[in-house]
């Protein structure tokens, strides 16, 4: 588990971006993971203003004119300026929330598919020669408060463990859960402790 602001995380190869099913990144002044990645991954002038929207532009190219993707779809892009500032090699954009006019965003139903696809795509590039060994996974779809935090953490943890159980030769070595708030940290710690206790009893 990693706590705090993603912008302060250093040395992790892949950052996961919980994106919407339109793959439209947040505006840079919004309090989201997407906005953090978009801003810090872009080129900025001496006043801190974004001058080249590096990651959002590459993500738009991945969409190839499409306006919507299915829940759990993943695109891996470069990391822009985050490569130098935070040693990030890739951004895994996963369709983890769906928008509805007048109602905002809600978490997609199949979070397991989101996790599985992120790890599959990361392993695919690692098998092709990229040095991708570590992943940081935010608590997908919990930013808006329209989801069950405990259930989300337990689902992400179970899906990650199951991925490694089925793929013991995965090139990924560590997946970190990102807990931004104290409440998220407490829930993550409880879930991890419960998992460890279950393992020790076997």
């Amino acid at each position: 588990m990693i706590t705090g602001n993603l912008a302060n995380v250093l040395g992790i190869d892949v950052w996961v971006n919980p994106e919407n099913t339109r793959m439209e990144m947040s505006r840079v002044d919004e309090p989201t993971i997407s906005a953090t990645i978009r801003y810090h991954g872009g080129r900025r002038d001496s006043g801190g203003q974004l001058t080249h929207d590096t990651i959002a532009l590459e993500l738009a190219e991945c969409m190839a004119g499409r306006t919507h993707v299915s829940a759990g779809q993943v695109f891996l892009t470069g990391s822009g300026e985050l490569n130098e500032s935070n040693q990030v090699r890739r951004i895994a954009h996963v369709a983890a929330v769906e928008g509805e006019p007048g109602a905002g965003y809600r978490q997609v139903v199949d979070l397991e598919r989101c996790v599985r696809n992120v790890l599959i795509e990361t392993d695919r590039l690692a098998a092709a020669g990229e040095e991708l060994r570590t992943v940081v996974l935010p608590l997908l779809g919990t930013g808006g408060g329209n989801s069950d935090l405990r259930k989300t953490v337990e689902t992400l943890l179970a899906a990650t463990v199951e991925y490694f159980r089925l793929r013991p030769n995965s090139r990924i070595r560590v997946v970190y859960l990102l807990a931004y708030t104290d409440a998220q940290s407490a829930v993550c710690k409880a879930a991890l402790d419960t998992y460890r206790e279950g393992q020790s009893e076997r």
Side-chain angles (χ1 to χ4, degrees):
M1 180 177 68
I2 292 176
T3 59
N5 192 332
L6 181 62
N8 297 325
V9 174
L10 304 176
I12 295 181
D13 300 323
V14 179
W15 284 9
V16 177
N17 174 29
E19 203 49 83
N20 54 67
T21 51
R22 291 192 298 275
M23 287 290 161
E24 295 177 345
M25 298 190 77
S26 300
R27 292 173 295 186
V28 296
D29 54 358
E30 293 180 5
T32 65
I33 296 290
S34 180
T36 296
I37 291 172
R38 183 175 190 175
Y39 177 74
H40 291 282
R43 289 203 296 269
R44 303 178 299 280
D45 62 22
S46 59
Q49 296 300 306
L50 196 66
T51 59
H52 189 267
D53 206 357
T54 310
I55 296 176
L57 289 171
E58 186 176 348
L59 182 57
E61 289 179 5
C62 292
M63 288 292 285
R66 287 171 289 184
T67 59
H68 188 273
V69 297
S70 60
Q73 177 75 44
V74 174
F75 294 111
L76 268 77
T77 67
S79 58
E81 300 302 302
L82 285 165
N83 188 305
E84 182 175 349
S85 63
N86 297 67
Q87 300 81 55
V88 184
R89 298 176 186 272
R90 287 281 187 171
I91 306 297
H93 307 265
V94 58
V97 297
E98 295 176 305
E100 183 178 341
Y105 290 104
R106 66 178 183 278
Q107 190 181 65
V108 300
V109 173
D110 194 353
L111 286 182
E112 293 94 338
R113 182 168 185 259
C114 293
V115 174
R116 185 170 61 250
N117 287 351
V118 164
L119 298 180
I120 286 172
E121 288 302 302
T122 300
D123 255 333
R124 180 180 63 81
L125 291 185
E130 295 195 26
E131 291 290 327
L132 305 177
R133 300 292 182 265
T134 54
V135 177
V136 59
L137 180 65
L139 307 184
L140 307 177
T142 59
N146 296 321
S147 58
D148 185 322
L149 179 57
R150 184 178 63 82
K151 182 179 178 182
T152 297
V153 171
E154 291 173 351
T155 300
L156 298 182
L157 178 58
T160 302
V161 170
E162 181 68 3
Y163 180 85
F164 287 120
R165 187 184 71 81
L166 295 175
R167 296 170 178 81
N169 296 321
S170 171
R171 288 171 168 80
I172 302 167
R173 291 293 170 259
V174 185
V175 174
Y176 298 93
L177 292 178
L178 177 70
Y180 181 68
T181 66
D182 289 343
Q184 290 180 348
S185 179
V187 172
C188 286
K189 185 177 185 304
L192 290 166
D193 287 346
T194 299
Y195 171 73
R196 291 191 190 101
E197 290 169 3
Q199 291 294 103
S200 64
E201 292 172 0
R202 291 185 178 182

